[in-house]
């Protein structure tokens, strides 16, 4: 439902793979629920930079299952660079757990979760509340992470160049 609200601005309830554009940012999204729960095992997922995990905030009986699945996904080496956004869905229902409660139930603690930044965003997929805000956080966080990686690569290249120059100078003096 969240995926289709973003893509189409309406509620559709079947499982698909979609390309979504949000404020000039394109991303491919897929529903990992049944029958796609083996998608990561059977497909080349490519460069995954963001992971969006939607939790039904009203379904206390399935929170342990959601926690187990989230931990399994975050341990997957193909997803190790992915920033994590958790949508706390169905916040329009009075019995829904608050985002802070979901953080605890899902085992999200500290600034990093399996070495990645994370955020829990309250949302209501049927009317779209919170969806854009969550994805904007994901976009900002992923961009900051990409810039940091580029800066690190630039500094490492400068360091290598300096070391090569020093080695050349030592050879010339010898």
């Amino acid at each position: 439902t969240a995926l289709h609200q973003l893509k189409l601005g309406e509620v559709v309830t079947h499982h698909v793979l979609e390309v979504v554009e949000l404020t000039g940012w394109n991303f491919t999204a897929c529903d990992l629920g049944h029958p796609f729960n083996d998608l990561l095992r059977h497909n080349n997922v490519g460069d995954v930079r963001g992971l969006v995990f939607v939790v039904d905030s009203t379904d206390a009986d399935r929170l342990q299952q959601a926690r187990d699945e989230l931990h399994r996904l975050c341990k997957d080496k193909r997803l190790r660079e992915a920033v994590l956004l958790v949508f706390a869905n169905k916040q329009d229902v009075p019995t829904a757990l608050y985002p802070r409660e979901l953080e605890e139930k899902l085992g999200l603690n500290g600034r990093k979760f399996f070495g990645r930044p994370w955020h829990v965003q309250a949302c209501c997929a049927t009317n779209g509340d919170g969806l854009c805000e969550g994805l904007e956080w994901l976009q900002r966080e992923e961009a900051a992470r990409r810039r940091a990686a580029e800066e690190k690569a630039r500094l490492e290249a400068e360091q290598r160049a300096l070391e090569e120059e020093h080695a050349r100078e030592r050879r010339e003096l010898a």
Side-chain angles (χ1 to χ4, degrees), residues 98-168:
Y98 292 108
R100 283 274 189 225
E101 294 172 295
L102 279 177
E103 289 173 13
E104 182 180 320
K105 301 277 186 195
L106 294 174
L108 297 166
N109 43 28
R111 291 176 40 105
K112 303 279 184 171
F113 180 68
F114 288 96
R116 75 190 76 230
W118 59 271
H119 174 66
V120 177
Q121 175 67 49
C123 78
C124 175
T126 56
N127 67 19
D129 287 349
L131 296 178
C132 288
E133 293 86 347
L135 290 175
E136 287 167 357
W137 174 88
L138 182 70
Q139 183 180 18
R140 283 189 313 273
E141 198 63 38
E142 191 280 323
R145 214 168 168 173
R146 187 177 56 246
R147 283 190 306 274
E150 290 168 355
E151 180 66 10
K152 180 181 177 186
R154 184 187 68 75
L155 291 172
E156 288 172 349
E158 285 179 6
Q159 182 65 32
R160 281 191 305 276
L162 283 172
E163 289 170 359
E164 289 171 6
E165 183 179 331
H166 289 301
R168 195 173 25 258

